[in-house]
Amino acid sequence: MVELLSAQKTSKQIAELLFLSEKTVEGHRTRIIEKLGIPKEKKCITDLGNTEL
């Protein structure tokens, strides 16, 4: 999921790719942002894109 977030996929796109509900994806997205301690989602996506996985 982190790779999809860093690729700036929407929750709907990620849900379709992973066969999850959009609400589930949004919950995961929120928890990832909180755990990384990054206050803004856009910055999170940028930072994730610069992180080697």
Side-chain angles (χ1 to χ4, degrees):
M1 179 171 290
V2 172
E3 289 180 24
L4 295 171
L5 289 171
S6 67
Q8 299 186 11
K9 300 286 186 190
T10 65
S11 293
K12 184 176 182 176
Q13 291 170 323
I14 295 170
E16 290 173 359
L17 288 168
L18 300 179
F19 304 102
L20 299 169
S21 75
E22 196 170 340
K23 187 171 182 172
T24 297
V25 172
E26 289 171 2
H28 286 309
R29 179 189 301 261
T30 299
R31 283 189 289 286
I32 289 168
I33 291 167
E34 288 173 357
K35 285 185 179 186
L36 293 176
I38 300 171
K40 295 189 178 182
E41 183 172 350
K42 190 166 189 163
K43 181 171 178 7
C44 176
I45 291 169
T46 301
D47 288 351
L48 290 173
N50 295 329
T51 302
E52 190 173 315
L53 299 175

